[in-house]
Each structure stands twice: as C-alpha cells, then as structure tokens.
Amino acid sequence: MATLIGRIYYGYRYINEELSGIETFNIILSNVISQLYSFSLKDPRTQDFFLIGSPWGVLGIIFFYLYFLHELGPNIMAKRKPFNLDRIIQLYNFLQIVICSCVLYKALSLAWLVDYRFYCEPVDFSYNPRAIEIARTVWMYFLLKILDLIDTVFFVLRKKYNQISFLHVYHHAGMVFGSWATTKFLAGGHISFLGTINCFVHVVMYSHYLATSLRISKPWWKKHVTQLQITQFCLILIQFILLAYAEECPFPKWTAAVLIPQNLFMIVLFGDFYYKTYIKKRKTNKNGVALDVSNGKMKSQ
C-alpha cells in the first residue's frame, strides 16, 4: 500500500511540478496513449499565475460550486422568499459584456486577426512579449469562466431551480476545468480559438440578457442565441477534425481526441434543448397543447 501511495504521489509531482516544454507530435489518434507518456505537459510561463500552479484550487471551486447547488444553496433558501436581484443581475450582465469584449479584443488583435491559422496553430512557448501576452489572455479567459459560475448562484438565490439543468451545470463546471488545463499546459495556439469564439458568443448572449431585463429586447431572441451557441460548437468541431488530419502540425493531436467527442456531446445536448424548447413546443402549441419545458409535463391551453 505504501508503494502504491508513493507512486501516486510521485506521478502527481511529475505532472504538476516537474514537467516542462512541449514536443512535436506527428502521429494522430491511433498513438494517443504513447504521446501522453512522451508529452512534456507543464507550460512553465503560467505556473505562477493565480490558481494555475496546483489543481487543488480549481477543483475546490468546482466542488464547492456543485455543493452549493445541490445542498448548501437550497438549504439556505428553504425557508426564504426568492431574492429580487434584478439590478445586481443587470450589473453582472454589463460586467460580463465588458470583460468578454476585452478578452475577445486581445485574442483577435494578438493572434486570430494577425497570423493564427484555423487549421493548425502551434503554441509559442517562448518568453517574447507577444507570446506572454497571449498566455495571459488565456489565463484571463479561465478567470472569466469562474465568473460564469455566478449565473447558477443567481438561479439558486431566486429559486429558479428548473433552470439548473444537467446541461447548464455540466457546461459551466467543464469550462472552468478545461480552461484551467489549457492555461496550465497549452496557453495559446490552436485551442485558443475555442475561447475566442466563446467570448464572442457571450458578448451577444449577455447583451441579449441585459437588453431583455431593460425591456429593450424581445425574449424570442433567445432562440437565436442558442443557434449561435450550436454554431460555435460546430466550428470548434471542424477545427479539431482538421487538426486530427493535419499531417505536419506541431500542435498536440491528442487534444482532438478529447475535444471532438466533447463538442459532439455539446451539439447533442444543445440540439436537444433547442428541439424541446423551440420546435417541439411550437408543434404542441399548434395542436392546442402547451409544453411546460420546466418539468416536461403537458397541459391544455
């Protein structure tokens, strides 16, 4: 038992603290496991960034997030009326628009409107000012994903439990951990397209939320926001399929093995939500029956 514990501890130290740099990979999905053993994981430039050096901080945030949603939050609100958070949420939406716009601008001006290629873009692990600024932008995106968790906190405090779906929680928690791993291991390059397009989608989404709360936009625009989110996942899927088939791309191809099925899964989840909310509901309305999406039950009009 002591030997097993020692090996686990050494493995953790090896991955989290000792590895550095990155090797070029030329073998696609069939050689993923062997790549992982030879792949030098840690990006030494980002290890001093807040919450990046060790996984325990981000894991603690995710675990507390899940605990608050399922235990602490509902218990706190059990004997309380829903909070009126309209002004706070409006301020939060405005803050999201500003921060997402800043990260989007930096990603475009530093990389994707300069010389980054859609089909293959390696990470620049050098310490030149532009490469460091790109790495900091990736880290800023990670912090932004932590801020996104407040969305669900608002649902709990307002007792909007029907909006806390598996899709919502899985997407938010997964984006926090995924953006942390990106900052720690691959701060820039091919994978940064995901964060860039996601910031654009969030600028549109939170602008819609803010406009709706101020009564200067119609709720039916939410359908188009969902369409934009599905388009986002399709573009990311295409980008990593191109990476998987690129013959001489120095960006690690094992990331395609992770993100291709992940984005397929997200397309299925968002597609199912879109069908139930905007297509199936419309069909039932035509037949004189409304679908209560919150609990999946049918009721007569």
Side-chain angles (χ1 to χ4, degrees):
M1 177 61 71
T3 301
L4 177 60
I5 294 174
R7 289 181 178 179
I8 293 173
Y9 175 73
Y10 175 77
Y12 163 77
R13 290 287 304 275
Y14 180 67
I15 291 175
N16 189 60
E17 299 177 7
E18 297 178 12
L19 297 179
S20 62
I22 188 169
E23 300 175 356
T24 300
F25 291 89
N26 296 315
I27 304 173
I28 307 180
L29 300 181
S30 62
N31 211 18
V32 170
I33 296 178
S34 63
Q35 287 181 14
L36 289 174
Y37 279 103
S38 63
F39 178 48
S40 297
L41 294 174
K42 186 183 69 173
D43 183 345
R45 304 169 306 162
T46 63
Q47 300 316 298
D48 292 332
F49 291 178
F50 178 60
L51 291 175
I52 300 303
S54 167
W56 302 118
V58 68
L59 290 176
I61 290 172
I62 293 173
F63 289 148
F64 182 76
Y65 170 70
L66 297 175
Y67 172 68
F68 180 84
L69 299 188
H70 297 291
E71 295 290 338
L72 181 61
N75 289 337
I76 292 175
M77 297 303 298
K79 297 182 180 180
R80 290 180 170 86
K81 294 181 179 180
F83 287 104
N84 185 347
L85 304 175
D86 291 348
R87 291 290 177 264
I88 294 176
I89 292 175
Q90 288 171 0
L91 179 61
Y92 169 78
N93 290 338
F94 178 76
L95 183 65
Q96 280 277 6
I97 295 168
V98 172
I99 298 176
C100 288
S101 297
C102 290
V103 175
L104 176 62
Y105 171 77
K106 289 177 69 68
L108 292 176
S109 61
L110 288 169
W112 289 100
L113 290 182
V114 181
D115 57 2
Y116 266 36
R117 298 164 296 177
F118 181 76
Y119 61 90
C120 171
E121 186 60 43
V123 181
D124 181 358
F125 285 98
S126 72
Y127 283 85
N128 72 64
R130 181 192 174 205
I132 294 296
E133 192 64 22
I134 290 174
R136 288 190 180 278
T137 302
V138 174
W139 172 67
M140 288 173 60
Y141 178 74
F142 158 66
L143 298 180
L144 184 57
K145 294 302 99 181
I146 294 178
L147 181 64
D148 286 352
L149 301 181
I150 297 178
D151 280 347
T152 327
V153 174
F154 289 150
F155 290 157
V156 173
L157 297 180
R158 298 168 69 204
K159 289 192 170 182
K160 301 285 186 179
Y161 300 122
N162 62 301
Q163 295 181 334
I164 308 176
S165 63
F166 169 78
L167 170 59
H168 179 93
V169 176
Y170 173 82
H171 180 58
H172 278 65
M175 289 298 291
V176 170
F177 186 78
S179 57
W180 172 85
T182 299
T183 307
K184 185 172 181 66
F185 304 126
L186 294 166
H190 196 82
I191 202 168
S192 65
F193 176 76
L194 185 158
T196 303
I197 190 172
N198 184 247
C199 280
F200 170 74
V201 171
H202 277 213
V203 169
V204 175
M205 182 178 74
Y206 284 105
S207 296
H208 162 68
Y209 291 160
L210 179 60
T212 301
S213 67
L214 295 174
R215 302 181 185 276
I216 56 177
S217 178
K218 300 297 183 182
W220 57 266
W221 262 95
K222 188 176 180 181
K223 175 178 72 173
H224 301 298
V225 173
T226 306
Q227 292 171 345
L228 186 61
Q229 289 173 308
I230 295 173
T231 302
Q232 163 193 229
F233 295 121
C234 290
L235 288 174
I236 297 168
L237 176 64
I238 292 171
Q239 190 204 25
F240 277 91
I241 290 175
L242 291 175
L243 174 67
Y245 284 96
E247 294 183 358
E248 296 183 358
C249 182
F251 193 86
K253 296 189 189 311
W254 63 263
T255 56
V258 176
L259 288 171
I260 288 175
Q262 165 64 16
N263 279 278
L264 283 171
F265 185 49
M266 296 308 296
I267 290 170
V268 170
L269 289 179
F270 273 80
D272 179 67
F273 168 79
Y274 184 86
Y275 173 76
K276 290 179 179 177
T277 306
Y278 303 113
I279 298 177
K280 187 175 181 179
K281 183 177 180 180
R282 183 171 57 189
K283 289 180 179 179
T284 54
N285 282 342
K286 289 181 179 180
N287 295 325
V289 179
L291 176 65
D292 185 352
V293 181
S294 63
N295 57 25
K297 295 181 180 180
M298 306 295 288
K299 62 180 181 180
S300 300
Q301 285 187 324

